[in-house]
Amino acid sequence: MPTVQACAHPEQDARVRAVFDDIRATRKTDFINNMWRYLAFDPELLEQTWREVKEVMATPSQLDPMVKEMLYVAVSITNGCGYCVHSHTAAAKARGMTPAQHAELLRIVALAGKTNQLALGLQVPVDAAFDADASPR
Amino acid sequence: MPTVQACAHPEQDARVRAVFDDIRATRKTDFINNMWRYLAFDPELLEQTWREVKEVMATPSQLDPMVKEMLYVAVSITNGCGYCVHSHTAAAKARGMTPAQHAELLRIVALAGKTNQLALGLQVPVDAAFDADASPR
Amino acid sequence: MPTVQACAHPEQDARVRAVFDDIRATRKTDFINNMWRYLAFDPELLEQTWREVKEVMATPSQLDPMVKEMLYVAVSITNGCGYCVHSHTAAAKARGMTPAQHAELLRIVALAGKTNQLALGLQVPVDAAFDADASPR
Amino acid sequence: MPTVQACAHPEQDARVRAVFDDIRATRKTDFINNMWRYLAFDPELLEQTWREVKEVMATPSQLDPMVKEMLYVAVSITNGCGYCVHSHTAAAKARGMTPAQHAELLRIVALAGKTNQLALGLQVPVDAAFDADASPR
Amino acid sequence: MPTVQACAHPEQDARVRAVFDDIRATRKTDFINNMWRYLAFDPELLEQTWREVKEVMATPSQLDPMVKEMLYVAVSITNGCGYCVHSHTAAAKARGMTPAQHAELLRIVALAGKTNQLALGLQVPVDAAFDADASPR
Amino acid sequence: MPTVQACAHPEQDARVRAVFDDIRATRKTDFINNMWRYLAFDPELLEQTWREVKEVMATPSQLDPMVKEMLYVAVSITNGCGYCVHSHTAAAKARGMTPAQHAELLRIVALAGKTNQLALGLQVPVDAAFDADASPR
């Protein structure tokens, strides 16, 4: 149940149409997931968001595309964003994440959630060795 | 400033000594970071935590060791755990993370934080296409 | 799906009735949203919560009523509370939030989510200039 | 480093004085911790916050005072509020929390952090058996 | 709607069968809630998770079983994990939590959420008195 | 203590210099706060972040500049980002936020933190009335 109304015919707006066309071309699929359909309530917000997602996630870079989606899933789980957990888990699978890798992703994300709680509960002082400014340049 | 007192001589406890020895052997370094020094206030909690961290993070698995540390950093940032951001950023660097990869990690983690907010603000309904139970087996 | 049972006839309890009457009078509507219906499982918790919400949100103050609801939405998004995102987005709209202002609210909330991640990932030291105690009195 | 300036002589304000006196009387100590000193920048906010903390935490109730402080610590860890982790861990110790109980608190809080991540990562559907509204009245 | 497919016949896997049998024996019920059914997609993750939950939550310890479930609920609420709020609220009720205690749990968890925001908003400096390392040994 | 090293002479890089110059010109001050100094470890990340912050926060728009900073503070508190709480509280004060408005901001942010916990603890079902898709177009 959304907080804004989905447009009945979003692609009647030329800017929305252009973004949707680019999503289809970039992803090589006709499927436009709901995130974009609802962001279309404000074409400028849609454009900006897609431009950034395309640049960061769909452009060849230092990191493997599957790894990038796994990092996205890790943040989305921790923020409790169910929609994003779904869309980026699907994206990671589409980029080759096997069930065993999915399980390992969950194991790491869960362990981090656990030791984050321990470190915050103990209020462990940061070791001087971790100070990047103290490293030799 | 911690919530428990660091032991003056933690390794006088045989269980703590055994864990610290295993940390040194596993990591091939004499450095024991504060997390373990403060967890030593309860030797059983120390043992359990180290056993799990070693199993998940220091055992060859489906994912690259550097990627595993980056996933840990992603969760730690999102949970606002400064200690863990430091210790796992250092670990990722030790496993080869370059400054360019560090910047890309931050870019993805930041973008995920951004679009998580958008999806939660819009309360975007999850697409039926993402339902794993609906997929053909 | 709630964790407590909605009362079938909550207004048979005099304290619940009094709160619901005050909600209707304050908001000039017959609609009592689910938050209050479920809080009614404990009339004292209902009374205390409504008293505080009324005092902070429904009493003329230093800030504009629409702005107050937008601040509430910002926190609710960040905490991942879907119910509260819905109820306070509706309240902000009722106090005049236009679609363009809604989009801007989301843009700011999303950008803050993004730069929060960057500052936490970098563990940026707080500038001395931000120390309120260091300011001239 | 705070965002508001600590008052040099907060008790020159009669309302602040009254709250500080009540804190000292209620807690049977002369120590006023920083939370109250900084809240004093707005005497009304100080009054309201102390009134509620006193009512919920310092009044005999259904739950044991030590347990109440442990619950407070659990939330504060999860929200990453270092100040509150400190003040309520100290309060739990003052109400009798032993090091073994402290370790157990951390173990539970850490395990919850872990399985929260798993449930959110899997997006586990809530069992119909957990629907309070479906229970026989 | 989950991110992994529930196994049609999970207990055909001997490891899953053994865990489910142990859950039924430990809890003295035939009901296996969804968390375990979905974790069964990776039998090792299922085994590890159940082993730890059993050890921490179902083994006699320093804290009362109902209190342990309430602590679990406190973390789960704060992390926004709806599934875990449900399963552990049900567990706390099964261990004797009355509606009045449930209301008190919510009151404390809500107050902590409130004062966490105040302390983080004010960035209150931690009192030297809270430094465990500074205490006499 | 940061996770990347501050550049000794960041403005020797032409891209960093250009961003810093634009920050100084836009804000009409010589003060460059640490966020930008540390982001300078990756000039492209610095450029992108500043471009977006400038566009969203420093360009005339639908919302009042002070309100925009208050929304930023609300998110930053809830995410537990101390750096961002400081920098945006300072920015809100620079745009006219009085101590009374600061107190009110904290009161709303704290109340939202409280009722978010209540709604999540009760798992209150979203009212059908809040479904934007169900509204008449």
Side-chain angles (χ1 to χ4, degrees), chain B residues 41-108:
Chain B
F41 91 102
D42 187 277
E44 191 179 347
L45 183 56
L46 173 70
E47 284 176 346
Q48 292 165 337
T49 308
W50 168 245
R51 189 186 314 130
E52 191 174 353
V53 168
K54 183 182 177 183
E55 181 186 317
V56 175
M57 299 303 287
T59 308
S61 66
Q62 304 281 325
L63 297 174
D64 177 79
M66 183 187 80
V67 166
K68 289 160 71 168
E69 294 295 343
M70 292 172 92
L71 289 166
Y72 222 112
V73 171
V75 173
S76 302
I77 289 173
T78 313
N79 272 331
C81 181
Y83 186 85
C84 311
V85 171
H86 269 295
S87 60
H88 292 279
T89 299
K93 288 179 183 175
R95 278 156 195 70
M97 183 176 71
T98 64
Q101 287 172 322
H102 191 192
E104 186 170 356
L105 166 62
L106 295 175
R107 197 174 275 119
I108 293 168

Side-chain angles (χ1 to χ4, degrees), chain C residues 1-31:
Chain C
M1 193 189 297
T3 61
V4 297
Q5 206 170 32
C7 303
H9 304 290
E11 302 195 44
Q12 288 180 352
D13 181 292
R15 296 167 76 183
V16 173
R17 175 71 191 235
V19 171
F20 282 18
D21 280 346
D22 196 35
I23 293 175
R24 284 185 282 251
T26 303
R27 297 183 166 175
K28 303 188 197 336
T29 170
D30 276 349
F31 177 56

Side-chain angles (χ1 to χ4, degrees), chain A residues 24-53:
Chain A
R24 284 185 282 250
T26 303
R27 298 185 165 172
K28 304 187 198 332
T29 170
D30 275 350
F31 177 55
I32 303 283
N33 57 306
N34 280 340
M35 181 71 172
W36 309 110
R37 295 191 173 282
Y38 285 93
L39 277 171
F41 91 102
D42 188 276
E44 191 179 346
L45 183 57
L46 172 70
E47 284 175 345
Q48 292 166 337
T49 308
W50 168 245
R51 190 185 315 128
E52 190 174 354
V53 168

Side-chain angles (χ1 to χ4, degrees), chain F residues 19-137:
Chain F
V19 172
F20 282 18
D21 280 345
D22 195 35
I23 292 174
R24 284 185 282 251
T26 303
R27 297 184 166 174
K28 304 186 199 331
T29 170
D30 275 349
F31 177 57
I32 303 282
N33 56 305
N34 280 341
M35 181 72 173
W36 309 110
R37 296 193 172 280
Y38 285 93
L39 277 172
F41 91 101
D42 188 274
E44 190 179 347
L45 183 57
L46 172 71
E47 284 175 344
Q48 291 166 338
T49 308
W50 168 245
R51 189 186 315 129
E52 190 174 353
V53 168
K54 183 182 178 184
E55 182 186 317
V56 175
M57 300 302 287
T59 308
S61 66
Q62 303 281 326
L63 297 174
D64 176 79
M66 183 187 80
V67 166
K68 289 159 72 169
E69 294 294 344
M70 292 173 92
L71 289 166
Y72 222 112
V73 171
V75 173
S76 301
I77 289 173
T78 313
N79 271 332
C81 181
Y83 186 85
C84 310
V85 171
H86 269 296
S87 61
H88 292 279
T89 299
K93 288 178 182 176
R95 278 157 194 70
M97 183 176 71
T98 63
Q101 287 171 323
H102 191 191
E104 186 169 356
L105 166 62
L106 294 175
R107 197 175 274 120
I108 293 168
V109 163
L111 178 59
K114 179 183 190 175
T115 61
N116 285 180
Q117 296 282 80
L118 291 174
L120 287 165
L122 292 167
Q123 291 286 300
V124 180
V126 179
D127 303 74
F130 294 148
D131 186 355
D133 270 343
S135 313
R137 289 164 197 265

